Amino acid sequence: MNTDPGFLRPADEKAVAAEEAARAALTGTGAYLMPPADVLACLGADASSWAHFAAHWQDLTVDAYAARRGTHRLRRYGHFSLSPVTGELRLLPHTEFVQPGNTNPLYESVDRHFDPLTDDFVADPVLRRVIGLLGRVAGVLDVAEWWSVKVHPFRVIATAEGGGEPSPEGRHRDGVSLVSSLFIGRDNATGGESTVYTPEGGEILSVTLREPASLLVSDDGGTLHDVSPIRPVDAAHPAHRDVLVTTLIPG
């Protein structure tokens, strides 16, 4: 995959300032919420390109592992390698997803097989620039010759009977350097509060993501995170919440 000319650095002063604020917060409190206007500036995305990117969430498949625990979740999975020096992004062969021990208590060291990202999703310029943005921000947390980048588009669905658990494992870490949640959208949903904690349980940041293109990033090595359940506002119709979770670790 060729390097995008906008991959290595933001295009304007607003984007530079936004990335500097994120890096400062990660080395300070350990978490940062980047507002949508700053995110879009960093990505060089307009309304049309964002709408095209968000449309990928209409083509996700069932997470059978979550379903066994009563959670209705759709997802896909992709694994990339990113050079922080050149911006080269490589899609790696599709394999199972395994979280390391002492991280996610429900699934640690379990091989989970998810459908791959679609070719259109992999080729989307917005996805490539999201990864580039996160690679630049993550540089304050670790030194990497290459970043191992794992990409998870999620849709969590809730009905009046339940099922809307974005984080059924509760407070946890993912065993990476940087963990991020890019908000895509929600419909007929209440709840879904994202909270980042100190290892001792103190609250660092808590927010209910409502504006598309909001980006929550945290230092996974020094924090825990959780998301509260969603429920339908109108019980006669299902609710859903769409996010892109992306993690980076040297590798």
Side-chain angles (χ1 to χ4, degrees):
M1 188 175 290
N2 295 331
T3 302
D4 186 312
F7 219 73
L8 295 178
R9 54 187 176 275
D12 59 33
E13 292 183 2
K14 181 176 183 178
V16 170
E19 293 188 12
E20 288 178 349
R23 288 191 289 266
L26 286 171
T27 57
T29 63
Y32 183 69
L33 178 65
M34 185 180 288
D38 288 353
V39 174
L40 294 174
C42 291
L43 302 181
D46 57 16
S48 176
S49 59
W50 178 262
H52 181 270
F53 179 62
H56 297 301
W57 272 254
Q58 304 303 320
D59 192 13
L60 305 182
T61 58
V62 173
D63 179 344
Y65 304 91
R68 293 170 193 165
R69 297 179 178 272
T71 293
H72 191 181
R73 183 162 68 186
L74 309 179
R75 68 186 296 172
R76 289 183 181 270
Y77 166 61
H79 188 189
F80 297 82
S81 188
L82 170 69
S83 168
V85 175
T86 67
E88 181 183 356
L89 183 67
R90 302 172 180 170
L91 177 65
L92 300 179
H94 190 68
T95 60
E96 69 277 3
F97 174 59
V98 183
Q99 288 185 279
N102 300 316
T103 55
N104 184 324
L106 294 184
Y107 301 115
E108 62 185 26
S109 303
V110 175
D111 293 1
R112 288 186 286 167
H113 297 265
F114 302 113
D115 286 340
L117 303 176
T118 64
D119 291 343
D120 285 346
F121 202 163
V122 170
D124 196 305
V126 173
L127 174 65
R128 297 176 62 207
R129 292 191 176 203
V130 168
I131 294 172
L133 165 62
L134 296 173
R136 295 189 297 271
V137 168
V140 299
L141 301 177
D142 254 322
V143 176
E145 183 175 350
W146 286 87
W147 288 113
S148 171
V149 183
K150 297 186 177 181
V151 173
H152 311 262
F154 285 105
R155 169 170 287 184
V156 173
I157 300 172
T159 65
E161 288 71 42
E165 307 284 341
S167 184
E169 60 272 68
R171 296 183 192 183
H172 66 284
R173 57 170 53 99
D174 289 348
V176 296
S177 302
L178 180 80
V179 62
S180 70
S181 183
L182 177 65
F183 183 66
I184 306 302
R186 57 194 286 154
D187 182 63
N188 190 38
T190 185
E193 183 177 41
S194 301
T195 306
V196 181
Y197 303 90
T198 67
E200 297 75 29
E203 187 177 299
I204 297 172
L205 185 156
S206 187
V207 62
T208 300
L209 300 175
R210 299 186 186 279
E211 295 183 74
S214 300
L215 176 64
L216 177 61
V217 294
S218 59
D219 171 8
D220 192 60
T223 65
L224 303 172
H225 58 275
D226 191 9
V227 184
S228 69
I230 66 165
R231 294 291 181 260
V233 175
D234 179 353
H237 300 282
H240 74 254
R241 176 181 183 268
D242 295 348
V243 298
L244 179 69
V245 173
T246 306
T247 65
L248 285 82
I249 191 171

Coordinates of all heavy atoms in Angstrom, one line a residue, residues 24-80:
A24 N 0.2 15.7 24.4 CA 0.4 16.3 25.7 C -0.5 15.6 26.8 O -0.1 15.3 27.9 CB 0.2 17.8 25.7
A25 N -1.8 15.4 26.4 CA -2.7 14.8 27.3 C -2.3 13.3 27.6 O -2.5 12.9 28.7 CB -4.1 14.9 26.8
L26 N -1.9 12.6 26.6 CA -1.5 11.2 26.8 C -0.3 11.1 27.8 O -0.3 10.1 28.5 CB -1.2 10.6 25.4 CG -2.3 10.3 24.5 CD1 -1.9 9.8 23.1 CD2 -3.2 9.2 25.1
T27 N 0.6 12.0 27.7 CA 1.7 11.9 28.6 C 1.4 12.6 30.0 O 2.2 12.5 30.9 CB 3.0 12.6 28.0 OG1 2.7 14.0 27.7 CG2 3.4 11.9 26.8
G28 N 0.3 13.3 30.0 CA -0.2 13.9 31.3 C -1.2 13.0 32.0 O -0.8 12.2 32.8
T29 N -2.4 13.2 31.7 CA -3.5 12.4 32.3 C -3.6 11.0 31.8 O -4.1 10.1 32.5 CB -4.9 13.1 32.1 OG1 -5.2 13.1 30.7 CG2 -4.9 14.5 32.7
G30 N -3.2 10.8 30.5 CA -3.3 9.4 30.0 C -4.5 9.3 29.0 O -4.7 8.2 28.5
A31 N -5.3 10.3 28.8 CA -6.5 10.2 27.9 C -6.8 11.6 27.4 O -6.5 12.6 28.0 CB -7.7 9.6 28.7
Y32 N -7.4 11.5 26.2 CA -7.8 12.8 25.5 C -9.0 12.6 24.6 O -9.0 11.5 23.9 CB -6.6 13.3 24.7 CG -6.8 14.6 24.0 CD1 -7.0 15.8 24.8 CD2 -6.9 14.8 22.7 CE1 -7.2 17.0 24.2 CE2 -7.2 16.0 22.0 CZ -7.3 17.1 22.8 OH -7.5 18.4 22.2
L33 N -9.9 13.5 24.6 CA -11.0 13.5 23.6 C -10.7 14.6 22.6 O -10.8 15.8 22.9 CB -12.3 13.8 24.3 CG -13.5 13.8 23.4 CD1 -13.8 12.5 22.7 CD2 -14.8 14.3 24.2
M34 N -10.5 14.2 21.3 CA -10.3 15.2 20.3 C -11.6 15.5 19.6 O -12.3 14.6 19.2 CB -9.3 14.6 19.2 CG -8.9 15.6 18.1 SD -7.8 14.9 16.9 CE -6.3 14.8 17.8
P35 N -12.0 16.7 19.6 CA -13.3 17.1 19.0 C -13.4 16.9 17.5 O -12.3 16.8 16.8 CB -13.5 18.6 19.4 CG -12.1 19.1 19.6 CD -11.3 17.9 20.1
P36 N -14.6 16.7 17.0 CA -14.7 16.3 15.5 C -14.1 17.3 14.6 O -13.5 16.9 13.6 CB -16.3 16.4 15.3 CG -16.8 16.1 16.7 CD -15.9 16.7 17.7
A37 N -14.2 18.6 14.8 CA -13.6 19.6 13.9 C -12.0 19.4 13.8 O -11.5 19.4 12.7 CB -13.9 21.0 14.3
D38 N -11.4 19.1 14.9 CA -10.0 18.8 14.9 C -9.6 17.5 14.2 O -8.7 17.4 13.5 CB -9.4 18.8 16.4 CG -9.4 20.2 17.0 OD1 -9.7 21.2 16.3 OD2 -9.1 20.2 18.2
V39 N -10.5 16.5 14.5 CA -10.2 15.2 13.8 C -10.3 15.3 12.3 O -9.4 14.9 11.6 CB -11.2 14.1 14.3 CG1 -11.1 12.8 13.5 CG2 -11.0 13.9 15.8
L40 N -11.4 16.0 11.8 CA -11.6 16.1 10.4 C -10.4 17.0 9.8 O -10.0 16.7 8.6 CB -12.9 16.7 10.1 CG -14.1 15.8 10.5 CD1 -15.4 16.6 10.3 CD2 -14.1 14.6 9.7
A41 N -9.9 17.9 10.5 CA -8.8 18.7 10.0 C -7.6 17.8 9.9 O -6.8 17.9 8.9 CB -8.5 19.9 11.0
C42 N -7.3 17.0 10.9 CA -6.2 16.1 10.9 C -6.3 15.1 9.7 O -5.3 14.7 9.1 CB -6.0 15.3 12.2 SG -5.5 16.4 13.6
L43 N -7.5 14.7 9.4 CA -7.7 13.7 8.3 C -7.9 14.3 7.0 O -7.8 13.6 6.0 CB -9.0 12.9 8.6 CG -9.1 12.2 10.0 CD1 -10.4 11.4 10.1 CD2 -7.9 11.2 10.1
G44 N -8.0 15.6 6.9 CA -8.3 16.3 5.6 C -9.6 15.8 5.0 O -9.7 15.6 3.8
A45 N -10.6 15.5 5.9 CA -11.9 14.9 5.4 C -13.0 15.9 5.4 O -13.0 16.8 6.2 CB -12.3 13.7 6.3
D46 N -13.8 15.8 4.4 CA -15.0 16.7 4.3 C -16.2 15.9 4.5 O -16.2 14.6 4.8 CB -15.1 17.4 2.9 CG -15.1 16.5 1.7 OD1 -15.3 15.3 1.9 OD2 -14.8 17.0 0.6
A47 N -17.4 16.5 4.4 CA -18.7 15.7 4.7 C -18.9 14.6 3.7 O -19.3 13.5 4.2 CB -19.8 16.7 4.5
S48 N -18.5 14.7 2.5 CA -18.7 13.6 1.5 C -17.8 12.4 1.8 O -18.2 11.3 1.8 CB -18.4 14.1 0.1 OG -18.5 13.1 -0.8
S49 N -16.5 12.7 2.1 CA -15.6 11.6 2.4 C -15.9 10.9 3.7 O -15.7 9.7 3.8 CB -14.1 12.1 2.3 OG -13.9 13.1 3.3
W50 N -16.4 11.7 4.7 CA -16.8 11.1 6.0 C -18.0 10.2 5.8 O -18.1 9.1 6.3 CB -17.0 12.2 7.0 CG -17.5 11.5 8.3 CD1 -18.8 11.4 8.7 CD2 -16.6 10.9 9.3 NE1 -18.8 10.7 9.9 CE2 -17.5 10.4 10.3 CE3 -15.3 10.7 9.4 CZ2 -17.0 9.8 11.4 CZ3 -14.8 10.1 10.5 CH2 -15.6 9.6 11.5
A51 N -19.0 10.7 5.0 CA -20.2 9.9 4.7 C -19.8 8.6 4.0 O -20.4 7.5 4.4 CB -21.2 10.7 3.9
H52 N -18.9 8.6 3.1 CA -18.5 7.4 2.4 C -17.8 6.4 3.4 O -18.1 5.2 3.4 CB -17.5 7.7 1.3 CG -17.0 6.5 0.5 ND1 -15.9 5.8 0.9 CD2 -17.6 5.9 -0.6 CE1 -15.7 4.8 0.0 NE2 -16.7 4.9 -0.9
F53 N -17.0 7.0 4.3 CA -16.3 6.1 5.3 C -17.4 5.5 6.3 O -17.3 4.3 6.5 CB -15.4 7.0 6.1 CG -14.6 6.3 7.2 CD1 -13.8 5.3 6.9 CD2 -14.7 6.8 8.5 CE1 -13.0 4.7 7.9 CE2 -14.0 6.1 9.5 CZ -13.2 5.1 9.2
A54 N -18.3 6.3 6.8 CA -19.3 5.8 7.7 C -20.2 4.7 7.1 O -20.7 3.9 7.8 CB -20.2 7.0 8.2
A55 N -20.3 4.7 5.8 CA -21.2 3.7 5.1 C -20.7 2.3 5.3 O -21.4 1.3 5.1 CB -21.4 4.1 3.6
H56 N -19.4 2.1 5.6 CA -18.8 0.8 5.8 C -19.5 0.1 6.9 O -19.5 -1.2 7.0 CB -17.3 0.9 6.0 CG -16.5 1.4 4.8 ND1 -16.6 0.9 3.6 CD2 -15.7 2.5 4.7 CE1 -15.8 1.6 2.8 NE2 -15.3 2.6 3.4
W57 N -20.1 0.8 7.9 CA -20.7 0.2 9.0 C -22.0 -0.5 8.7 O -22.6 -1.2 9.5 CB -20.9 1.2 10.1 CG -19.7 1.3 11.0 CD1 -19.6 0.8 12.3 CD2 -18.4 1.9 10.7 NE1 -18.3 1.0 12.8 CE2 -17.6 1.7 11.8 CE3 -17.9 2.5 9.6 CZ2 -16.3 2.1 11.9 CZ3 -16.6 3.0 9.6 CH2 -15.8 2.8 10.8
Q58 N -22.5 -0.3 7.4 CA -23.6 -1.0 6.9 C -23.3 -2.4 6.4 O -24.1 -3.2 6.0 CB -24.3 -0.3 5.8 CG -24.7 1.1 6.2 CD -25.6 1.2 7.4 OE1 -26.5 0.4 7.5 NE2 -25.4 2.2 8.3
D59 N -22.0 -2.8 6.4 CA -21.5 -4.0 5.9 C -20.6 -4.8 6.9 O -19.5 -5.2 6.5 CB -20.8 -3.8 4.6 CG -20.5 -5.1 3.8 OD1 -21.1 -6.1 4.1 OD2 -19.7 -5.0 2.8
L60 N -21.1 -4.9 8.1 CA -20.4 -5.7 9.1 C -21.1 -7.0 9.3 O -22.2 -7.2 8.8 CB -20.4 -4.9 10.5 CG -19.8 -3.5 10.4 CD1 -19.8 -2.9 11.8 CD2 -18.4 -3.5 9.8
T61 N -20.5 -7.9 10.0 CA -21.0 -9.3 10.2 C -21.1 -9.6 11.7 O -20.4 -9.0 12.5 CB -20.2 -10.3 9.5 OG1 -18.9 -10.3 9.9 CG2 -20.3 -10.1 8.0
V62 N -21.9 -10.6 12.0 CA -22.1 -11.0 13.4 C -20.9 -11.4 14.2 O -20.1 -12.3 13.7 CB -23.2 -12.0 13.5 CG1 -23.5 -12.5 14.9 CG2 -24.6 -11.5 12.9
D63 N -20.7 -10.9 15.4 CA -19.7 -11.4 16.3 C -20.3 -12.5 17.1 O -21.0 -12.3 18.1 CB -19.3 -10.2 17.2 CG -18.3 -10.6 18.3 OD1 -18.0 -11.8 18.5 OD2 -17.7 -9.7 18.9
A64 N -20.0 -13.8 16.7 CA -20.6 -14.9 17.3 C -20.1 -15.1 18.8 O -20.8 -15.7 19.6 CB -20.2 -16.2 16.5
Y65 N -18.9 -14.7 19.1 CA -18.4 -14.8 20.4 C -19.2 -13.9 21.4 O -19.5 -14.4 22.5 CB -16.9 -14.5 20.5 CG -16.1 -15.3 19.5 CD1 -15.9 -14.8 18.2 CD2 -15.6 -16.5 19.9 CE1 -15.1 -15.5 17.3 CE2 -14.8 -17.3 19.0 CZ -14.6 -16.8 17.7 OH -13.9 -17.5 16.8
A66 N -19.5 -12.7 21.0 CA -20.3 -11.8 21.9 C -21.7 -12.4 22.0 O -22.3 -12.3 23.1 CB -20.3 -10.4 21.3
A67 N -22.2 -12.9 20.9 CA -23.6 -13.4 20.9 C -23.8 -14.5 21.9 O -24.8 -14.7 22.5 CB -24.0 -13.9 19.5
R68 N -22.7 -15.3 22.2 CA -22.8 -16.4 23.1 C -23.0 -15.9 24.6 O -23.5 -16.6 25.4 CB -21.6 -17.3 23.1 CG -21.4 -18.1 21.8 CD -20.0 -18.7 21.7 NE -19.8 -19.2 20.3 CZ -18.5 -19.5 19.9 NH1 -17.5 -19.4 20.7 NH2 -18.4 -19.9 18.7
R69 N -22.7 -14.6 24.8 CA -22.8 -14.0 26.1 C -24.0 -13.0 26.1 O -24.1 -12.2 27.0 CB -21.5 -13.3 26.5 CG -20.4 -14.3 26.7 CD -19.1 -13.5 27.0 NE -18.0 -14.5 27.2 CZ -17.7 -15.1 28.4 NH1 -18.5 -14.8 29.5 NH2 -16.7 -15.9 28.5
G70 N -24.8 -13.0 25.1 CA -26.0 -12.2 25.1 C -25.9 -10.8 24.5 O -26.8 -10.0 24.6
T71 N -24.7 -10.5 23.9 CA -24.5 -9.2 23.3 C -24.6 -9.3 21.8 O -24.0 -10.1 21.1 CB -23.0 -8.7 23.6 OG1 -23.0 -8.5 25.0 CG2 -22.7 -7.4 22.9
H72 N -25.5 -8.4 21.2 CA -25.7 -8.3 19.8 C -24.7 -7.3 19.2 O -24.9 -6.1 19.4 CB -27.1 -8.0 19.5 CG -27.4 -8.1 18.0 ND1 -28.7 -7.8 17.5 CD2 -26.7 -8.6 17.0 CE1 -28.7 -8.0 16.2 NE2 -27.5 -8.5 15.8
R73 N -23.6 -7.8 18.6 CA -22.6 -7.0 18.1 C -22.2 -7.4 16.7 O -22.0 -8.6 16.4 CB -21.4 -7.0 19.1 CG -20.2 -6.1 18.7 CD -19.3 -5.9 19.9 NE -18.5 -7.1 20.2 CZ -17.7 -7.2 21.3 NH1 -17.6 -6.2 22.1 NH2 -17.1 -8.3 21.6
L74 N -22.0 -6.5 15.8 CA -21.5 -6.7 14.5 C -20.1 -6.1 14.4 O -19.8 -5.1 15.0 CB -22.4 -6.0 13.4 CG -23.9 -6.3 13.5 CD1 -24.6 -5.6 12.4 CD2 -24.2 -7.8 13.4
R75 N -19.2 -6.7 13.6 CA -17.9 -6.2 13.5 C -17.1 -6.8 12.3 O -17.6 -7.7 11.6 CB -17.1 -6.6 14.8 CG -16.8 -8.1 14.9 CD -16.2 -8.4 16.3 NE -14.8 -7.8 16.5 CZ -14.2 -7.8 17.6 NH1 -14.7 -8.4 18.7 NH2 -13.0 -7.2 17.7
R76 N -16.0 -6.3 12.0 CA -15.0 -6.9 11.2 C -13.6 -6.7 11.8 O -13.5 -6.0 12.9 CB -15.0 -6.4 9.7 CG -16.2 -6.9 8.9 CD -16.2 -6.3 7.5 NE -17.4 -6.7 6.8 CZ -17.5 -7.9 6.0 NH1 -16.4 -8.7 6.0 NH2 -18.6 -8.1 5.4
Y77 N -12.6 -7.2 11.2 CA -11.2 -7.1 11.8 C -10.2 -7.0 10.7 O -10.2 -7.8 9.8 CB -11.0 -8.2 12.8 CG -9.5 -8.4 13.2 CD1 -8.9 -7.4 13.9 CD2 -8.8 -9.6 12.9 CE1 -7.6 -7.6 14.3 CE2 -7.5 -9.7 13.3 CZ -6.9 -8.7 14.0 OH -5.6 -8.9 14.4
G78 N -9.2 -6.1 10.9 CA -8.0 -6.0 10.0 C -6.8 -5.7 10.8 O -6.8 -5.0 11.8
H79 N -5.6 -6.2 10.3 CA -4.3 -6.0 10.9 C -3.4 -5.4 9.9 O -3.2 -5.9 8.8 CB -3.8 -7.4 11.4 CG -2.6 -7.3 12.3 ND1 -1.9 -8.4 12.6 CD2 -2.0 -6.2 12.8 CE1 -0.9 -8.0 13.4 NE2 -0.9 -6.7 13.5
F80 N -2.8 -4.3 10.3 CA -1.9 -3.5 9.5 C -0.5 -3.4 10.2 O -0.4 -3.5 11.4 CB -2.4 -2.1 9.2 CG -3.7 -2.1 8.4 CD1 -4.9 -2.3 9.1 CD2 -3.7 -1.9 7.0 CE1 -6.1 -2.2 8.4 CE2 -4.9 -1.8 6.3 CZ -6.1 -2.0 7.0

